[in-house]
Every structure is written in structure tokens, then in C-alpha cells.
Amino acid sequence: IDGMSRHEIANLLNFVNMYFPRVVGLDVLFAYGTADSVLLSAIQQTPNIVLATDAAQVSGTIDPTLVPDASWGAINLAAKDMRDVIRTYQPYIISQSGDTIASFAQALSDLYTDEKSTPDISEKYIYFPSQSYEHIEGTSVLDGTYTDEQLADMLEDKLVLISDIHNPFDTHVVPLTYMMTGCELHAHIVNTII
């Protein structure tokens, strides 16, 4: 969703929904508190959506009362700063307010498997298989680059992560490669959990 406006993200959500993904993760913290009405409507109409939150701060996210059917997951990863190598994750995180909340990947996994996990804040190792995950630019989904059949194959009954994969502040050092996006890290953690 690199450089996409909130209206374009809303259009992307609406378009993705037409292909019946099993779970949609919106790995975005919106900077201005609440989303505009078009984006909010698209989120409300997305079944099985997981929205990102930051366990270190509760501001900067969409008001949870506006999206009562959404699941939430903390995007915080097990690193003290950007130079730390990330090898582990926490299924649940203690927020700054003292609440125990699911990590983004755990919330995605719970919806994907239709099972509620038991809160566990211990660190777990991330399994980094040699596979990578398909990255699809949001604009190419909307502009007709793919046929309906291709989109159905890519999205139907799948776990779809929507994220800004070119954000230099959301890249992390991992054991396999020098840097990995937060979105791809969440995908590896989901793969580890499932």
C-alpha cells in the first residue's frame, strides 16, 4: 500500500473482499487517530479482519468502538532497537496499560484456524523456512494487472496481509537475510504458529 491514500486503501480492502480471503491483516497504524468514513466503512465490511495496534502506545489507532467485530493484534516485535536480530516472538504482549493483547501474528493465526489461543507471553523461536511470500502491489490489484482468475487464485481462502513493505522504519534484522520487512516477519510468525 506504499503511498496509497486512505481512500485507496479502502478501495483495496473492498476489492480484496470480493475474492473471499479467509483472513485479512491490515498492518498499518493510522497516524491521525480515527480513519475517515470511507476507510472505516471498508474495515467494518471486511469479515475476519485483524487491525494493527502498538502495545507501547494506545493512541494512533482506529477507535475500537467503531469496529466492534474486528480483531486486534500488537505489531511490536522482540527487538529493543532496529539493529537487534529478531529470532523470537511473543504470542501475547503486555501493553503499556498492563493489558495482555495478542500479537498481530497470533491474532491472524487464531482467526485463520478458528481457534482461540491461550495467552502466553513467553518468547518463542520463529521458524524461517527457505520459502518467501508473494508480494503484490496494492495498485496492481486495483488497476487490472491481474485477471479475475489470478486474483481468485491468490486471495480466495488465503490469509492476506496488507502493509507498506517499502517503509524503511519497518525493516528488521533477521538470521537468514540482513533485513526483512515487518509484514514478511509477521508472515513467518504466522507460519510458525500454524
Side-chain angles (χ1 to χ4, degrees), residues 108-129:
L108 290 165
S109 300
D110 286 354
L111 274 179
Y112 187 81
T113 61
D114 200 27
E115 297 177 11
K116 180 66 175 146
S117 57
T118 303
D120 178 0
I121 61 169
S122 64
E123 289 191 13
K124 314 277 187 206
Y125 282 100
I126 302 168
Y127 173 61
F128 289 103

Side-chain angles (χ1 to χ4, degrees), residues 27 74-77 103-106 108-109 133 161 163 170 172 180-193:
D27 182 13
I75 58 170
N76 309 73
L77 296 165
S103 68
F104 190 65
Q106 187 66 58
L108 290 165
S109 300
Y133 301 96
L161 295 176
S163 179
D170 192 20
H172 308 274
M180 184 177 284
T181 67
C183 182
E184 191 159 10
L185 253 172
H186 291 304
H188 281 291
I189 296 169
V190 167
N191 187 46
T192 299
I193 295 168

Side-chain angles (χ1 to χ4, degrees), residues 1-16 26 30 36 38-39 42 138-139 141-142 162:
I1 60 168
D2 311 319
M4 292 178 85
S5 70
R6 290 177 182 211
H7 277 69
E8 289 168 322
I9 294 170
N11 289 339
L12 179 61
L13 275 173
N14 290 329
F15 199 81
V16 165
L26 186 56
F30 293 99
D36 62 40
V38 173
L39 179 57
T139 53
V141 171
L142 296 172
I162 297 175

Side-chain angles (χ1 to χ4, degrees), residues 76-112:
N76 309 73
L77 296 165
K80 293 175 183 53
D81 66 45
M82 289 181 67
R83 296 175 303 222
D84 283 352
V85 177
I86 295 185
R87 294 181 173 88
T88 61
Y89 73 97
Q90 289 178 277
Y92 283 78
I93 299 169
I94 305 293
S95 72
Q96 188 173 15
S97 64
D99 297 324
T100 302
I101 55 176
S103 68
F104 190 65
Q106 187 66 58
L108 290 165
S109 300
D110 286 354
L111 274 179
Y112 187 81

